[in-house]
Amino acid sequence: MTPLRCGLAANPALPARLLDHLVATADDELGPILAARGDLTRDHARVLADRCGAGVLYPLLERGLLRPADIPLGDPWRALAVLAHRTRIRPGSTGSPATPTR
């Protein structure tokens, strides 16, 4: 990934067509930057979930852009992201999880 693409992905004034292009070409490095944007649509979230690693799933699930049912569970890391969301465990947290949600 180039610093230019990283900077564009983090730019809140990025035009919609460039955001669409970055989402469509995202990789595991660019995906988390894009997943943190406040202007993503559900369609963007689905594309990022398909193109990028499990790390993009946490913010997308937390913000409600994806539901656990939207995530294909063939990859164990993706399954763990869904499980963490359902039990409210966050990456880097310690201690016991909160009461699972249903």
Side-chain angles (χ1 to χ4, degrees), residues 6-59:
C6 183
L8 285 172
N11 181 351
L14 187 70
R17 68 178 179 80
L18 289 177
L19 176 59
D20 292 345
H21 175 73
L22 288 176
V23 168
T25 60
D27 58 16
D28 288 344
E29 293 182 65
L30 192 61
I33 298 168
L34 291 166
R37 292 183 61 94
D39 58 349
L40 290 181
T41 65
R42 279 185 58 82
D43 289 336
H44 288 141
R46 287 186 193 117
V47 171
L48 289 174
D50 288 341
R51 291 192 53 84
C52 304
V56 302
L57 300 179
Y58 296 103

Side-chain angles (χ1 to χ4, degrees), residues 43-81:
D43 289 336
H44 288 141
R46 287 186 193 117
V47 171
L48 289 174
D50 288 341
R51 291 192 53 84
C52 304
V56 302
L57 300 179
Y58 296 103
L60 298 174
L61 286 163
E62 181 66 25
R63 291 178 25 224
L65 290 171
L66 291 177
R67 298 179 318 250
D70 295 328
I71 311 299
L73 300 180
D75 175 356
W77 293 111
R78 291 174 185 271
L80 284 172

